[in-house]
Amino acid sequence: MDVVSDVAEIRARLQGVPRPLGLVPTMGALHGGHLSLVDAATRHCATVAVSIFVNPLQFGPGEDFQRYPRSLDADLQELDAAGAHVVFTPDAASFTPPGRLTSVVVASLTQRLEGSSRPGHFDGVTTVVTKLFNVIRPDQAYFGEKDFQQLAVIRRMVADLDLPVTVVGCPIVRDPDGLALSSRNAYLSGEQRVAALQLSQALHRLSQEWAGDAATAVATLRRTLSQASGVRLDYAEVIDPETLEPFEGVVEGPAQAVVAAYVGDTRLIDNIRLEPAGSSPAA
Ligand code: PAF
């Protein structure tokens, strides 16, 4: 497995590699969720590239850019064992230099939910993901469904700009007790981790009780999580999985419940698919 930091070098390394070429973009501090993306990429693609870049553009002032977990040596060992062929590790000074003048902005879809709580976040994500697509030129790119809005935004960007890449969304990976894997779980104390479980528990309960009434579901979810000990709710909504618009009345088709909350200083997000009332839940 080769590890390359320079744009010209990675382009040269990927010239003529067996296709399809899969890309798994990450910010490192890898966990089982990332490894499930690498696993999917190795099953579908002849060559697998992984990027590790803690992207300063997607962190707002006062967010956790400085303390975001970094574990490059361990990450590289895991990626080698997982069968990745190339790892791209650009440095911020050259990949996102202070003088750059160009951003990639997806309108409207980015203004709600995460975008409302983290202004500018998605502009940072789409700018860097576009750069990664442009440098690596993957045929397929793999993203986790835990960042549900991010996945929708990237799909929309790819469609709107006719980028020649297929975006593959992969299911959330959870610890056995239900906590969605996240690099930010590393910030949680034992007590906070127990508090954080209330997010996945509330979502799971909602998906079991879901009868298609969005107003009742949202009210229940908000009440449950507002009263949850050690949790400070940011938002809880039931949305259209394509448009991300909130549902308010009776829902006939699929829906997605999405939540964001603080546990201590740690901001966590989670979501679950709500299958149309009467249909059997997806495996
Ligand atoms: O999901 C992430 O880890 C990041 O948002 C991504 C897609 C690697 C862009 O920096």
Side-chain angles (χ1 to χ4, degrees), residues 73-91:
D73 290 346
D75 290 351
L76 295 178
Q77 279 185 18
E78 303 232 52
L79 291 175
D80 200 11
H85 300 98
V86 188
V87 183
F88 180 46
T89 56
D91 68 87

Side-chain angles (χ1 to χ4, degrees), residues 14 30 59 108 111 119 143 147 183 203 205 213 220-221:
L14 293 172
L30 302 183
F59 290 81
S108 87
Q111 297 308 301
F143 296 88
D147 292 290
S183 303
L203 288 171
R205 204 171 316 123
D213 174 357
T220 307
L221 195 55

Side-chain angles (χ1 to χ4, degrees), residues 24-28 34 37 51-56 58-59 68 121-122 124-126 128-129 132 142-144 147 150 154 183:
V24 180
T26 82
M27 297 208 298
H34 297 110
L37 306 181
S51 61
I52 297 181
F53 180 61
V54 184
N55 170 19
Q58 69 186 75
F59 290 81
Y68 193 83
H121 166 70
F122 285 117
V125 171
T126 46
V128 156
V129 169
L132 291 169
Y142 295 80
F143 296 88
D147 292 290
Q150 169 173 281
I154 289 170
S183 303

